[in-house]
Amino acid sequence: MQTTFIALVALLGVCSAAVVQHQLIHRESPKFQMMRRGEWGAYVQHKAALRDANPSVYANVPQNVNDFGDFEYLGNITIGTPGQQFLVVLDTGSANLWVPGPSCDGSCKGKTEFDATKSTTFVKNGKAWSIQYGSGNAKGYLGQDTVAFGGKADQQLAVPKTTFGIATHISSDFKNDAAEGILGLAFTSLAVDHVVPPLINAMNQGLLDANLFTVWLEHKGSANDVGGGVFTYGAVDTTNCGPVIAYQPLSSATYWQFVATSFKLGSYTNTKNYQVISDTGTSFLGGPKAVIAGLAQALGATYHSDDDSYYVPCSKNIGTLDITIGGNVYSIQPVNYIVDVGMGDTCVFAAFAFNNFGFGPAWILGDPFIRQYCNIQDMGNQKIGFAPSLQKN
Ligand SMILES: *[C@@H]1O[C@H](CO)[C@@H](O)[C@H](O)[C@H]1NC(C)=O
């Protein structure tokens, strides 16, 4: 009887489709910690020196996208049968999953290492992979196994036959980080080696109720290791998000990329058709130098060239930073774009300038935007929706 029932469910397929909520933890971005310790300037220079010394290696690495030093939101996943648990960065600005492996050099010290010999569902692949980040690289080989979103103790979304990276080396600045790996949530075309990302794999196998997920990031300031939001796979999150304001078609399904037409703060407005991306893996808003300078000037923020950052009194309030997308204005409150990194009355304007050299996105809408608006990331229809984020504090 039991067997018949299971067979029937498998046949119907759709019946097994699911909605799964993935709890996140927030920890302070290493970037803020470095700013507070006065080390950020040296880190920026270290990255610039790496780029200058290896121009061919960095030619295709967009500056500041996917920077190891800038992740804030982590969640548990398991890999294999039985599941081995890892704490990973949930990053909508990249598209590969990787975790440390048993043959990793000293760079993985202290982190959980995936042991393929202990999994009954592991399938060997062995192909080499390597991902270049702004501050170093991660490399290793590929394997295939069941990857489940959520921790061992949670309700999970299990995705069989998922290919992922098993690291033999990770960038030195990831070494002392609580995160053990990175789970990319962008599209296959962005993935190194075009490895199908776990959530796209789930969609392709019909495992989701709807082929979308909702990102809700909680505002946590500098709080560490506290509940930090929820990713809802397969449904719009109506608990933590208000009504959807609008959907915007993706202009490119590589990153979560779309068009924004204006950026305004106080007396400054810049209007132009910009390619922008939504990226949970970046703690700031990134944009063209002249526009960031214009916004900063309107705010009364001061640029410090030694650490390439804009500082502003924490009490400063000239109203919302307004971004126009598809004719709708999305207003970011000061609490989300003026960040208290623990330097007394001095806060940081959460914006940085970067040069896309004429290709790729011109803007990165990182956590300040996503904490203000839930993102409904519709893979199936290649569009992204925005809804007010209901914050508890
Ligand atoms: C991840 O798992 C660890 C150990 O099981 C647990 O203590 C922690 O709360 C989990 N984190 C999240 C965000 O669920």
Side-chain angles (χ1 to χ4, degrees), residues 23-25 74-76 85 87 151 153-154:
Q23 302 294 328
L24 315 187
I25 59 161
L74 315 177
N76 287 324
Q85 183 165 301
L87 185 63
D154 308 324

